[in-house]
Amino acid sequence: MVENNNSKHYDLEDRTYNYAKDIRVFVRKLPQTLANREDSKQLINSSGSVGANYIEANEALSKKDFLMRIKICRKEAKESRYWLRLMDTQGNHGLEKEGKDLEQEAVELTNIFGAIIRKSE
């Protein structure tokens, strides 16, 4: 990752990988309620799917295949945000902030994939 004072350069494959890893770290910190355990499974699956489908998109056999994979990336990022919003932090302010930061990353990824779709269609 190259950084300067005004901007950051992100490799989207690295960014989606780091997002999925950060989700896993977050999930391990959550209170182990029945709801959190079940919702965490969904969150882990959707967050990992963002990056996996991005890799698939980069190996697409056609433009149509590429667009379908990027649309799946966008869908999975939206779904991840949904599951993050359902997580019960039981009032732990540190976990709440971490969850909000991850939600923001899901929104940013959704927007990035939306822009890729608009520019590719």
Side-chain angles (χ1 to χ4, degrees), residues 53 56-58 60-75 113-121:
N53 277 286
E56 290 288 324
N58 287 330
L61 301 174
S62 67
K63 183 176 180 179
K64 183 178 179 182
D65 185 31
F66 173 80
L67 279 169
M68 181 193 70
R69 298 290 178 183
I70 293 296
K71 286 178 180 179
I72 293 170
C73 292
R74 182 180 62 183
K75 177 184 81 72
F113 292 121
I116 292 170
I117 292 165
R118 284 188 302 280
K119 290 177 181 175
S120 298
E121 289 184 314

Side-chain angles (χ1 to χ4, degrees), residues 105-118:
E105 180 67 358
V107 168
E108 289 177 19
L109 289 169
T110 299
N111 292 339
I112 289 167
F113 292 121
I116 292 170
I117 292 165
R118 284 188 302 280

Side-chain angles (χ1 to χ4, degrees), residues 65-107:
D65 185 31
F66 173 80
L67 279 169
M68 181 193 70
R69 298 290 178 183
I70 293 296
K71 286 178 180 179
I72 293 170
C73 292
R74 182 180 62 183
K75 177 184 81 72
E76 296 289 347
K78 285 181 180 180
E79 184 179 327
S80 294
R81 182 171 181 256
Y82 174 80
W83 294 116
L84 280 163
R85 293 175 65 207
L86 284 174
M87 292 299 153
D88 180 9
T89 61
Q90 295 183 345
N92 180 319
H93 296 298
L95 280 178
E96 285 176 13
K97 181 182 180 337
E98 190 173 344
K100 292 290 183 194
D101 291 345
L102 289 167
E103 276 185 58
Q104 182 58 40
E105 180 67 358
V107 168

Side-chain angles (χ1 to χ4, degrees), residues 4-89:
N4 64 35
N5 291 337
N6 297 326
S7 66
K8 292 182 180 178
H9 169 75
Y10 289 101
D11 178 310
L12 197 49
E13 193 170 313
D14 289 342
R15 187 168 175 174
T16 58
Y17 171 81
N18 288 329
Y19 176 67
K21 291 288 284 186
D22 291 344
I23 290 289
R24 284 150 178 77
V25 170
F26 174 70
V27 164
R28 284 194 293 271
K29 297 176 188 175
L30 289 169
Q32 291 301 305
T33 65
L34 178 61
N36 276 352
R37 281 194 301 270
E38 293 301 315
D39 293 345
S40 291
K41 292 175 189 176
Q42 297 291 333
L43 175 59
I44 287 169
N45 288 336
S46 62
S47 67
S49 185
V50 175
N53 277 286
Y54 183 68
I55 290 168
E56 290 288 324
N58 287 330
E59 299 296 323
L61 301 174
S62 67
K63 183 176 180 179
K64 183 178 179 182
D65 185 31
F66 173 80
L67 279 169
M68 181 193 70
R69 298 290 178 183
I70 293 296
K71 286 178 180 179
I72 293 170
C73 292
R74 182 180 62 183
K75 177 184 81 72
E76 296 289 347
K78 285 181 180 180
E79 184 179 327
S80 294
R81 182 171 181 256
Y82 174 80
W83 294 116
L84 280 163
R85 293 175 65 207
L86 284 174
M87 292 299 153
D88 180 9
T89 61

